[in-house]
Amino acid sequence: MPSFYSLFSFFLTWWGAFTIAALDATMVVFLPFGVDAVVIYLSARDDSLFWVYPLLATAGSLTGAGTTYWIGKKIGDVGLERYVPERRLERIKSRVRDSGAIAMAVPALMPPPFPLTPFVLTCGALNVNPWRFFSIFAAMRLVRFGAEAGLARVYGRGILRILESDAFQMIIAGFIAIAILGTAASAVMLWRSTHESRVQAA
């Protein structure tokens, strides 16, 4: 079986950490725990620069989230129903309106399956102050990725042994399959929503 590094040679670089984090925060790509795994692996492998990878992942997340936020702003509150299931949408709206900064902080800090992308999309549609939103978003992402990098720095050798083991590579293969299916499903849903919007506008 190919090694963990050979499977993800592109993403296991500083530019790969930025790229995978940006993709993860978009509406189409579905990468459960992908960013976290990359940050942990790179930080464990390169303990002298472990602090760089949380910064890169945070910058990538901001880039992807910025795109998602902009799309939400363009489609508006009414258009959200085409992209986010109604039951989930009402819960997200309530959190944003009632909890303020706390509601903005939690999704950026929580790992999957917390619905990050629908939340960012909704914040854009509801015209949440972008400076406030992205300041809190960046701070929470940095806390999350920084904690992972710190733990990887301390337990580096043990983590590398686990990540490079055959058993873990089987788990990764499963996540890849989930990511492919999830991305395909997201792409189809996005295409259908966009197509319906064009039909209604015609």
Side-chain angles (χ1 to χ4, degrees), residues 160-191:
L160 288 177
R161 282 196 296 270
I162 294 172
L163 294 180
E164 294 175 345
S165 66
D166 290 342
F168 190 82
Q169 289 182 43
M170 292 295 294
I171 295 174
I172 288 296
F175 273 111
I176 291 174
I178 293 172
I180 292 173
L181 293 173
T183 299
S186 298
V188 169
M189 290 177 62
L190 182 61
W191 179 85

Side-chain angles (χ1 to χ4, degrees), residues 4-192:
F4 181 84
Y5 184 86
S6 65
L7 285 171
F8 301 98
S9 57
F10 171 78
F11 291 112
L12 298 181
T13 58
W14 67 267
W15 60 86
F18 176 91
T19 302
I20 195 171
L23 292 173
D24 183 60
T26 62
M27 294 174 59
V28 178
V29 180
F30 181 72
L31 297 168
F33 298 106
V35 184
D36 304 279
V38 168
V39 170
I40 291 170
Y41 182 85
L42 291 173
S43 301
R45 187 185 66 181
D46 189 4
D47 58 5
S48 64
L49 293 174
F50 77 98
W51 55 273
V52 171
Y53 303 113
L55 296 175
L56 291 169
T58 299
S61 286
L62 280 172
T63 302
T67 302
T68 303
Y69 180 95
W70 178 81
I71 292 173
K73 194 173 183 65
K74 295 295 284 187
I75 64 176
D77 193 0
V78 177
L80 278 174
E81 296 178 0
R82 302 190 185 97
Y83 298 91
V84 184
E86 183 177 356
R87 186 176 301 176
R88 175 179 289 181
L89 179 59
E90 290 305 316
R91 289 200 302 267
I92 295 174
K93 284 183 177 180
S94 296
R95 287 174 181 170
V96 173
R97 289 167 176 160
D98 299 339
S99 302
I102 296 175
M104 289 187 279
V106 171
L109 191 61
M110 296 295 288
F114 205 95
L116 175 65
T117 301
F119 176 81
V120 176
L121 194 70
T122 302
C123 285
L126 296 181
N127 290 312
V128 172
N129 184 286
W131 291 104
R132 184 164 177 250
F133 173 76
F134 285 109
S135 295
I136 296 173
F137 182 89
M140 292 301 100
R141 292 305 256 186
L142 192 57
V143 167
R144 172 176 160 182
F145 297 139
E148 293 171 347
L151 291 172
R153 170 66 177 80
V154 174
Y155 302 105
R157 292 183 179 179
I159 289 174
L160 288 177
R161 282 196 296 270
I162 294 172
L163 294 180
E164 294 175 345
S165 66
D166 290 342
F168 190 82
Q169 289 182 43
M170 292 295 294
I171 295 174
I172 288 296
F175 273 111
I176 291 174
I178 293 172
I180 292 173
L181 293 173
T183 299
S186 298
V188 169
M189 290 177 62
L190 182 61
W191 179 85
R192 285 180 177 175

Side-chain angles (χ1 to χ4, degrees), residues 82 194-202:
R82 302 190 185 97
T194 304
H195 180 69
E196 289 175 0
S197 299
R198 291 175 178 174
V199 170
Q200 292 176 3

